[in-house]
């Protein structure tokens, strides 16, 4: 009597009834492309095979058990489903960044091997992690939303990665939409009293900060101004990215007009005009400038006028009373 041959359906049924150890998972993933090259007909079973695989990863960070414990507690094993893995990282992706649960862990990916994951027989199983998908994940990660001190390193690494990707894009509008959740979150480190502080309180929202290169010396004594940490620039965070996130390069018009008396620019507007000529003003700032009364008339020091209410000095106008 002839024994029936094992087929792919038998393998799938067997996999559904067990949890693979990490080493066995790696062997399976390395074997499958070789088997598909031998028997082209089995490739169509690939997705069913992936759905059947459950595995546990090596607990490298598990804390050692105390020898004084009389009864060992059962080890909690985390079981993963291979069908939940949709991405792997390519060689360009920065090391050490947090990854979505739908991505292979760096340690497991290293053991499997990049060439195996990139094999054409896995094209329907997973793909390279798009940076936009990672961005959608990281903007809700605790390192960007909670400002925890232990996460300072990965927070800074994430900011640098986001900035470099932003700078590489020709069209940046859609990517900025992905960053909207953190625009009002205190995630940017700032310099305190001229030094780069690593404390939790040194994190601020983009709109509360100025560029490290901003010259605010003319406004000393008018308030506290916080600048983005200079170390971020050294690590590769661009001013273009910071400005797009809401960091200011110049003093806001509301603040400026609210401190004209303190600056003693009411009686002599020349320093104010010189500052405005050199300032990089936003569209909102320009609208404010056109409508605010801050200029004195030549023969009238009792009131201030908006630019549209005044004329440039012209001798031909002297004929009018």
């Amino acid at each position: 009597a002839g024994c029936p041959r094992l087929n792919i359906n038998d393998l799938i049924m067997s996999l559904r009834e067990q949890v693979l150890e990490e080493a066995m998972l790696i062997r399976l993933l390395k074997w499958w492309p070789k088997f598909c090259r031998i028997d082209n007909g089995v490739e169509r079973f690939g997705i069913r095979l992936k759905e059947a695989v459950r595995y546990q990863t090596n607990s490298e960070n598990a804390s050692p058990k105390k020898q004084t414990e009389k009864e060992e507690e059962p080890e909690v094993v985390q079981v993963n489903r291979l069908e939940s893995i949709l991405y792997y990282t390519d060689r360009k992706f920065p090391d050490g960044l947090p990854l979505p649960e739908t991505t292979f862990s760096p340690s497991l990916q290293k053991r499997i091997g990049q060439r195996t994951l990139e094999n054409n027989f896995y094209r329907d199983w997973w793909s390279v992690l798009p940076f936009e998908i990672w961005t959608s994940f990281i903007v809700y990660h605790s390192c960007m939303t909670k400002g925890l001190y232990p996460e300072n390193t990965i927070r800074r690494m994430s900011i640098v990665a986001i900035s470099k990707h932003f700078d590489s894009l020709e069209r940046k509008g859609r990517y900025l939409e992905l960053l909207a959740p953190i625009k009002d979150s205190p995630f940017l480190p700032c310099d305190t009293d001229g030094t780069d502080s690593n404390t939790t309180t040194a994190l601020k929202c983009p709109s509360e900060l100025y560029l490290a290169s901003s010259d605010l010396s003319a406004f000393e004594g008018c308030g506290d101004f916080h600048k983005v940490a200079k170390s971020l620039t050294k690590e590769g965070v661009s001013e273009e990215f910071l400005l797009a996130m809401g960091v200011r390069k110049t003093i806001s018009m509301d603040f400026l007009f609210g401190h004209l008396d303190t600056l003693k620019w009411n009686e002599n507007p020349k320093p104010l005009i010189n500052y405005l000529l050199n300032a990089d003003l936003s569209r909102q700032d320009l609208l404010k400038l056109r409508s605010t009364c801050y200029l004195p008339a030549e023969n009238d020091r009792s009131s201030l006028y908006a630019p549209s209410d005044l004329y440039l000095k012209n001798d031909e106008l002297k004929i009018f009373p």
Side-chain angles (χ1 to χ4, degrees), residues 309-320:
D309 297 328
L310 298 174
Y311 296 90
L312 292 175
K313 190 173 183 179
N314 189 336
D315 292 337
E316 295 180 1
L317 297 178
K318 291 182 178 180
I319 62 175
F320 299 99

Side-chain angles (χ1 to χ4, degrees), residues 183-320:
K183 278 197 169 184
D184 296 322
S185 298
F187 73 94
L188 283 176
C190 66
D191 285 348
T192 305
D193 298 327
T195 59
D196 189 358
S197 174
N198 288 320
T199 63
T200 306
T201 56
L203 298 176
K204 293 190 177 295
C205 302
S207 60
E208 298 175 328
L209 294 173
Y210 294 86
L211 295 178
S213 61
S214 296
D215 182 8
L216 306 177
S217 57
F219 306 99
E220 291 181 1
C222 295
D224 295 327
F225 304 105
H226 300 286
K227 295 183 178 182
V228 175
K230 293 180 180 178
S231 56
L232 280 185
T233 302
K234 296 178 182 178
E235 293 169 17
V237 178
S238 70
E239 290 192 349
E240 182 184 5
F241 165 72
L242 293 172
L243 290 171
M245 291 300 294
V247 174
R248 295 194 61 89
K249 186 176 183 178
T250 57
I251 297 294
S252 71
M253 292 299 102
D254 290 333
F255 178 90
L256 187 61
F257 291 130
H259 289 77
L260 290 179
D261 290 332
T262 307
L263 295 166
K264 298 181 180 180
W265 287 358
N266 267 336
E267 298 179 359
N268 181 15
K270 288 184 178 180
L272 171 62
I273 301 301
N274 290 332
Y275 172 78
L276 295 176
L277 286 173
N278 297 317
D280 185 10
L281 303 177
S282 66
R283 183 178 300 177
Q284 292 79 5
D285 290 337
L286 291 173
L287 290 174
K288 177 79 70 174
L289 278 176
R290 294 190 181 104
S291 59
T292 303
C293 298
Y294 60 94
L295 294 174
E298 183 177 12
N299 297 318
D300 183 5
R301 298 290 178 176
S302 62
S303 301
L304 296 176
Y305 300 88
S308 58
D309 297 328
L310 298 174
Y311 296 90
L312 292 175
K313 190 173 183 179
N314 189 336
D315 292 337
E316 295 180 1
L317 297 178
K318 291 182 178 180
I319 62 175
F320 299 99

Side-chain angles (χ1 to χ4, degrees), residues 140-151:
Y140 293 103
H141 192 275
S142 59
C143 74
M144 304 295 281
T145 60
K146 295 185 178 180
L148 302 176
Y149 178 78
E151 295 182 321

